[in-house]
């Protein structure tokens, strides 16, 4: 199995050293291949090393962390480590795994490492070759392989961790730094982006209504049309009104 590699990007040498030391302590198997001092170095060193993970600061000379992430075009797992909280939505829009605020909390960093390891464990099997083999087998059998859609959402509720059945979720809405999940028994905030969840939820049951909202179709009671090809959704058993923007109105044209 090939080692997992990482690139650290921060314009402050002491902060780079601190993060490297924390990573070495919490994830000794990880190989930090290099350190970048600015956004341009991020791109140069990424092309030189092709790391699996990039830890990015936001405020850096040249290109900032968001601009560097856009240039990387999702070719690595991204973790933002920054002193600025206000860029979280932009970071998750670039496919970030997590957004850590300085000074680093070792517990939060350990949680991020666990999420990264879960994403990267698929490298133990040649995933691409496996999918290709399954696709060829399904083609030979005259049918497409069934995709395994998300069945549970893990959320922290008080001091406990709750596994929420996806079929009980009424809607999902992006908040400032988190994502709100509303289900039959309550609500909770999670650290997964709307974009990530939209790719994992069954589109036969869940559709995006807005750049920040996903709704479970079985909870939709009616749609009320608004101006400029927009609308609002009324849900069964809930008082929230969910916006439908022009880009997603086609999902509801039959209502």
């Amino acid at each position: 199995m090939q080692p997992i590699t990482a690139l650290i990007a921060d314009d402050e040498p002491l902060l780079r050293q601190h993060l490297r030391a924390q990573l070495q302590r919490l994830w000794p198997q990880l190989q930090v291949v290099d350190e970048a001092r600015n956004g341009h170095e991020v791109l140069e060193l990424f092309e030189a090393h092709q790391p699996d993970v990039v830890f990015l600061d936001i405020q850096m000379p040249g290109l900032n962390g968001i601009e560097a992430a856009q240039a990387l075009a999702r070719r690595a797992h991204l973790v933002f480590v920054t002193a600025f909280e206000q860029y979280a939505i932009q970071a998750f829009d670039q496919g970030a795994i997590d957004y850590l605020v300085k000074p680093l909390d070792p517990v939060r960093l350990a949680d991020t490492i666990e999420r990264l390891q879960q994403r990267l464990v698929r490298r133990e099997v040649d995933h691409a070759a496996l999918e290709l083999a399954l696709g060829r087998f399904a083609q030979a059998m005259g049918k497409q392989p069934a995709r395994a859609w998300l069945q549970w959402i893990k959320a922290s509720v008080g001091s406990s961790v709750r596994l929420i059945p996806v079929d009980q979720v009424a809607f999902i809405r992006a908040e400032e730094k988190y994502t709100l999940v509303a289900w039959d028994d309550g609500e909770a905030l999670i650290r997964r982006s709307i974009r990530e969840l939209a790719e994992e939820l069954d589109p036969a049951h869940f559709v995006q209504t807005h750049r920040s909202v996903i709704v479970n179709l079985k909870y939709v009671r009616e749609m009320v049309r608004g101006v400029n090809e927009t609308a609002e959704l009324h849900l069964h058993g809930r008082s929230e009104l969910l916006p439908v923007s022009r880009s997603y109105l086609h999902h509801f044209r039959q209502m």
Side-chain angles (χ1 to χ4, degrees):
M1 183 176 66
Q2 292 183 350
I4 306 300
T5 57
L7 172 67
I8 294 175
D10 198 307
D11 59 339
E12 294 289 337
L14 291 177
L15 295 177
R16 294 198 306 270
Q17 293 172 16
H18 178 65
L19 178 55
R20 180 190 279 264
Q22 292 274 31
L23 290 171
Q24 185 175 8
R25 182 176 65 85
L26 295 170
W27 194 359
Q29 298 82 8
L30 181 70
Q31 292 187 8
V32 177
V33 293
D34 215 330
E35 297 177 6
R37 298 167 297 177
N38 55 61
H40 292 296
E41 281 193 359
V42 170
L43 304 185
E44 294 173 2
L45 294 174
F46 180 85
E47 296 301 334
H49 299 290
Q50 298 290 310
D52 302 293
V53 185
V54 180
F55 293 88
L56 277 170
D57 189 16
I58 295 287
Q59 297 286 13
M60 294 187 296
L63 300 175
N64 65 34
I66 299 295
E67 293 168 336
Q70 290 173 337
L72 292 178
R74 298 174 182 260
R75 289 181 291 162
H77 297 289
L78 303 179
V79 176
F80 284 84
V81 185
T82 177
F84 301 89
E85 298 183 355
Q86 64 267 33
Y87 298 99
I89 292 178
Q90 293 172 267
F92 284 119
D93 282 344
Q94 299 307 317
I97 296 294
D98 212 341
Y99 189 94
L100 304 178
V101 178
K102 301 173 185 175
L104 277 179
D105 179 353
V107 175
R108 280 284 290 112
L109 181 57
D111 181 63
T112 299
I113 288 172
E114 182 180 356
R115 296 182 65 191
L116 283 166
Q117 290 171 337
Q118 291 173 353
R119 293 289 186 90
L120 293 162
V121 72
R122 68 189 61 182
R123 280 183 48 173
E124 295 182 11
V125 179
D126 188 344
H127 188 67
L130 180 60
E131 284 193 337
L132 179 60
L134 289 174
R136 287 175 176 172
F137 176 78
Q139 186 177 22
M141 298 298 292
K143 61 182 180 181
Q144 293 297 317
R147 177 170 175 177
W149 300 105
L150 188 65
Q151 298 297 312
W152 303 86
I153 294 177
K154 184 175 72 172
S156 296
V157 180
S159 60
S160 63
V161 176
R162 178 82 176 260
L163 287 177
I164 306 165
V166 163
D167 62 357
Q168 293 181 16
V169 173
F171 67 90
I172 300 168
R173 183 176 62 214
E175 301 290 343
E176 288 186 2
K177 294 190 295 181
Y178 301 94
T179 298
L180 174 74
V181 179
W183 76 99
D184 292 345
D185 296 331
E187 298 179 350
L189 295 174
I190 62 175
R191 292 191 179 96
R192 303 190 66 188
S193 68
I194 285 287
R195 181 179 300 219
E196 181 181 5
L197 290 167
E199 294 175 353
E200 298 183 17
L201 291 167
D202 187 349
H205 303 289
F206 289 86
V207 299
Q208 197 157 356
T209 71
H210 186 271
R211 66 186 299 271
S212 63
V213 177
I214 297 172
V215 68
N216 187 339
L217 290 174
K218 78 175 185 179
Y219 284 85
V220 177
R221 177 166 55 87
E222 66 175 340
M223 180 185 74
V224 178
R225 293 182 180 274
V227 297
N228 298 326
E229 296 186 65
T230 62
E232 287 184 331
L233 296 180
H234 296 245
L235 305 182
H236 292 289
R238 301 194 67 93
S239 60
E240 296 93 347
L241 299 179
L242 301 183
V244 182
S245 62
R246 181 185 305 179
S247 301
Y248 302 99
L249 190 62
H250 63 277
H251 292 303
F252 305 95
R253 293 200 183 276
Q254 301 303 317
M255 297 187 67

